[in-house]
Amino acid sequence: MMDSHMLKACVWTTLESRGCLNVDVTCVRATRSLPQMTSVQIRTFSAPPDIRKIHEKSRTSLNTRFRSLDDLDELETLVLEAQQRNDDLQNKFSLSRSKIATLFVDTRISAGTYIDTAQELSLLRHSLTDDLTELSQESISTLSEGESKSTLLEDIETLHRNLRELQSVKGYVQVIEHTLRLSERSAEQIRSAKLTISTTSLSEYQTLQAFVKQVTEACSKLEDDSGDQTMNLVSFVKDILERAWAKIQDTLSGHLNASAEKIGWPTAVDYPSASVEDRAEFEHAFRNLLRLQNWGEQNRGDQTIHVSAKRNGLYPLQALVHPIALRFKYHFDSTRPTNRLDKPEWYFTHVLNVAHEHRTFMETVIQRLLDSSDYRNIKAWHEFTYLLLPLLSRKLKHTVPALLSRPSLLAHTIYQALTFDAALLDEGFLIQETSAPQQLNPEGKWEGVSGMIIGNDEWFEAWLRGEQNFAEEQYHEIISTSDAWLIAGAEQEQDDVPEDLKATHSARRICSLIEQVTDRYSPLPRSMQCISFLLSVQLPLLHSYHGRISASLDAFETLSSAFVRAVPGALSVSLGKEEGRVHVDNRGLTSGVDGVQRLCKALLSAKYVERTIRGWAEELFFVELWAEINHKDELRNTALANPLLPDPKAEREEIPEDTLFDEVLARYDRLVNRAEGMIVQQVCGEIEGLLKAHFSTLSPKPDSQSDNADEISLSQTLLAPMALLSSHLTFLRTSMSQAILTNLYRRIISRLADHILHRQIVYRSRFDVAEGKNIRAECELWVETCRIALGGALPGGRARIDTPWTRLLQAASLASAEGDAWATVNSVTFGTQIDDWDAAMMQAIGPIEMGREEVMRILRRREDCNY
C-alpha cells in the first residue's frame, strides 16, 4: 500500500498539470481583506434617524445639564456650540451620503464579480471531485476485491519479489546441480569390477555426504518465511544422496550377478565344478557388497532411515534374489497360464522349491563368506529365505483384494499361506537368525507370509465370514441328507474315537467338519484370531447340533399328544391318508423297536460328539489356547461374555485345571443322560405294560395227584413281554457300542427285575410252593431270554448278564424252596437262636444279597409260612 503523503503529492501534481488550479488568486485575497459587515448592519446604518429618540435624548441631556436658573447662563454658549456641531455633522453627513452611494455602486459591482467567481469555483470543485474519484479508482490495490489493474508501486514490488525468488531459485538449482554432479562422480568412482570397496574408493560419496550435511545445516538457519522451500531442498538433496548410494549398490550388485551367472546361478550351483577364477571373482564381488553395507552402517548414521524398505537385508543376497524375482514375475505376475487365482499353491511351492534347491549352496559357500565378515551372526539360508518372502507378499497384496468376493478361493489362498509358513518352520527357518528387525508378534510368534492377510482386519473378517457361511451351509446339508440319522457301519470308524463307539452319519460328519475348521485356523499366530474362529464357527455348530438332538427328544415326548411337532431330519412323522383324512400313527412312531431306534439315534449322536469333544479338550492346541484365555485379560473378557465357554478361574501363573470345552461337554453329558433315561423308560414301560395282563392272571394250581405234578406250567401271557424284551436287547446289541449297551442293559434289567420282584412276589397274594416253582421258572426264563438276545455281547460272559437279575433270582429261590431248605430258611430267618444269619442262608439256598427284613416279607408270601 502507498504512503498517504505520497498519494497527496501525486494528486496535487496531477491537478496542477491539468490547469485545475489557475484561478484569480488576487481576487480571492482582496475579498479576504475587506471589513467583515453583515447585511443587518448595513441596513441599520442606511436607515433615516429616529426623531423621537433624538428629542428624548436631547431632553434628557438638557435636564441633566440645566438644573437651576443659574445654569441658564451657559445656554447661549451651548446653543452656539450645538449650532456649530450641527453644521459639522451636516457636512460630514453629506459627505458620507455621497460616499455611501459610491460604495453601494462599487459593492454591487464587486458582488456580481464574486458571484461569477463562486460559480466558477463551484464548477472547479465538481471537476476536482471527479478527478479525485478517478485517481482514487486508479490507486486501488490489486489485493482488494474487484478486477482493477495493479498500481505502479505494486508492479514494482512484484518485480522485486520475483527477482528475489529467481535469485533463490538460482541458488536452489546451483545446489541441486552440484549435488547431482557429486552423485554421478560417486557412482562413476566404483565402476571397475576389480575395485575393492574401502574408504578411499568411496571418497566421492563422502564428499557428497558432507555437502548434503552442509546444505541441511545452512537451511536449518533460514527464516521461517522460506521454511517450505528449505524443507523441500533438504529432502531433495537427501533423496539424491540415497539414490547415489542405491546406484553404488546396484553397480556392485551387477558385478555380483555377472560373476554368479558364471557359476550357474540362479539354478542349483555346483560350486566345486566352477573354475578357480570364476569362484574368486564371485567371492570378491560378494565381499565387496558386504564391505559396502558395513561401511554404510558405520558412516551413514541416521540417513539410513530414508532407505526404502525393499532394501532391508544383506546386500549380496539381495542381488542374488534379483534374478529369482524376475523369474517369479515372469511366471506369476504375467498373462502366462501359471498365473491363476485358483492355484496359489503353485507360487508358494515355487518359492519353497527355490529355498530348498539353494540350501546347500547357502549353508556351505555363502555361510563361509558371512563367517569371515562382520555378519557372522546371520545364517545364510535363513537370510536368503527371508529375502524371498517379499515375492509372495507383493503377490498376495495384489491378489487378495480380488478374492474378497470369492470366499472359497480366499480361504484356499489363506490355507496355502498358512501351510507355506508351517513348511518353512518345519524346515527350520528362524526369523531371529536373519538381518530383519524383530518381527515377532506380542505372543512371541512369527506371523509369516499369512500375517499380511490375517493382519488386515478387513481381509480377516472376510475370511471369517466366508468360513462361517461355509460351515453353516455344510451343517444344514449334513443334517438334511437322507442318511443323516442312520447309524454308520463299522467300516466308517475313525482313529480318534474308541473302536466300539458307533454313531450316526450326521454326528461323524459334524465332528469331521469341526476338525476341518480347526485344521484351518490352528496355525494362526494370534490367540485372539483363534478365539474368533472358535466362537464364530465351531461352538455355534456344536450348539446347533445339540439343539437339534434335544428337539428330537422333545418331539418324541410329545408325539403321543394331539399336537404333533415334527423336527426336520430328526424324528420324521409318517402321515397316511384315508378317506380324505390325515392320520398320524403315534403308536408306530413311539412304540416297539422303531421307537427305541429313534431314541438310540439321538443317544449315539450325542455320545459320539461328547466323546469326540472330550478328545479335543485334551489336545495340545486347545490346552494352550485355554491357558492363553486364562492368562490374558482381553481373552478372558471374551470368554466371560460367551455362555458356551466356562468361566476362566485360573490365576495368571497357574495352570488351569478345567478345559476349554467343559461347558459344552456338560451340556452334551446332560443330553446323553436324558437320552439313556428315555430309552430305559421306553423299554421298561412297554414291557411293564404287557406284564399287567400276566400279573392279573393267576397261574393254575397243579393237581397234586396227577403224574405230572413236578411239571412247571408257564402262562401264555408271559410270551409277549419276553419277546419284546428279546427284540429290544437284540436291537441294542447290534446298534450300541459295548459300553453303552452294558450301561443300558444294567439300567433296564435292574428296573425290570425290581418291577417283577415287587409285582410277582412281594406285593401279591400268598402262593403255594407249586406257584413258587413257577415263579422261579419264569425268572430263569427271563435270564435265559437275555442270554440268547445278547449272545455274549457283554464283557464278562453270563455273569455280567445275570448280575442285574441276582435279587430277583434269589427271591425266586426263596419262593420255591421246599423240604429241609425251606425249614432251615424259616427257622434261621424268623428264629432268634442263630447269630450268623448270612452263613446259614448260604448253606441253605446259596448266597443272598437281600436283607433279613426283605427275606421275611418274601417268605410270608408262601401259604405254608407259619410266621
Side-chain angles (χ1 to χ4, degrees), residues 572-598:
S572 59
V573 180
S574 60
L575 302 177
K577 291 186 178 180
E578 181 180 352
E579 297 180 358
R581 300 171 63 185
V582 178
H583 299 276
V584 180
D585 186 11
N586 293 342
R587 183 175 179 80
L589 292 172
T590 60
S591 63
V593 176
D594 290 340
V596 173
Q597 181 181 12
R598 289 179 171 83

Side-chain angles (χ1 to χ4, degrees), residues 35-248:
Q36 300 296 324
M37 185 177 294
T38 64
S39 58
V40 176
Q41 291 175 326
I42 295 175
R43 284 195 297 271
T44 300
F45 292 149
S46 301
D50 188 352
I51 301 300
R52 186 181 61 83
K53 289 182 178 182
I54 294 174
H55 290 170
E56 182 67 25
K57 186 177 181 180
S58 298
R59 185 181 302 112
T60 301
S61 178
L62 291 175
N63 289 334
T64 301
R65 190 167 183 175
F66 298 100
R67 296 181 180 274
S68 65
L69 292 178
D70 294 334
D71 293 334
L72 291 178
D73 294 337
E74 297 178 3
L75 179 61
E76 185 176 355
T77 303
L78 181 60
V79 170
L80 292 176
E81 290 177 356
Q83 186 65 41
Q84 185 179 357
R85 184 180 179 188
N86 181 54
D87 293 340
D88 291 338
L89 288 176
Q90 285 293 332
N91 293 331
K92 292 179 179 180
F93 178 72
S94 298
L95 181 60
S96 175
R97 185 182 294 272
S98 63
K99 288 183 177 180
I100 288 173
T102 304
L103 181 60
F104 278 165
V105 173
D106 294 340
T107 300
R108 288 190 182 95
I109 295 173
S110 299
T113 303
Y114 293 155
I115 290 173
D116 294 338
T117 302
Q119 291 177 349
E120 292 178 359
L121 290 176
S122 176
L123 294 176
L124 179 61
R125 182 179 65 82
H126 288 294
S127 177
L128 288 174
T129 301
D130 294 338
D131 291 341
L132 286 173
T133 302
E134 182 180 355
L135 290 175
S136 299
Q137 292 295 331
E138 292 179 357
S139 300
I140 295 177
S141 174
T142 55
L143 300 178
S144 62
E145 298 180 357
E147 298 181 356
S148 304
K149 296 181 180 180
S150 60
T151 63
L152 177 61
L153 180 59
E154 289 179 333
D155 291 340
I156 294 174
E157 291 177 347
T158 302
L159 292 176
H160 278 287
R161 186 167 51 254
N162 292 339
L163 179 60
R164 287 195 301 269
E165 290 179 356
L166 288 175
Q167 291 174 346
S168 176
V169 169
K170 178 182 177 181
Y172 187 100
V173 173
Q174 288 175 341
V175 170
I176 294 176
E177 185 270 340
H178 186 65
T179 305
L180 290 174
R181 186 182 301 110
L182 292 177
S183 174
E184 291 296 330
R185 288 164 56 183
S186 63
E188 188 67 28
Q189 189 178 18
I190 49 93
R191 296 290 184 189
S192 175
K194 296 182 180 181
L195 179 69
T196 299
I197 295 299
S198 63
T199 303
T200 304
S201 60
L202 294 172
S203 59
E204 292 294 340
Y205 180 81
Q206 294 181 71
T207 303
L208 172 62
Q209 194 175 21
F211 179 73
V212 171
K213 182 178 181 180
Q214 292 176 359
V215 172
T216 303
E217 293 176 353
C219 291
S220 64
K221 299 178 181 179
L222 293 180
E223 298 295 333
D224 295 337
D225 57 353
S226 59
D228 293 339
Q229 295 182 2
T230 300
M231 291 303 300
N232 291 335
L233 178 60
V234 171
S235 300
F236 190 76
V237 296
K238 286 185 177 181
D239 184 65
I240 294 176
L241 180 64
E242 296 304 327
R243 292 177 183 273
W245 184 258
K247 287 181 181 179
I248 296 174

Side-chain angles (χ1 to χ4, degrees), residues 681-695:
Q681 173 64 31
Q682 181 70 14
V683 174
C684 294
E686 290 184 348
I687 296 176
E688 290 170 0
L690 293 177
L691 283 174
K692 289 181 180 179
H694 174 68
F695 293 146

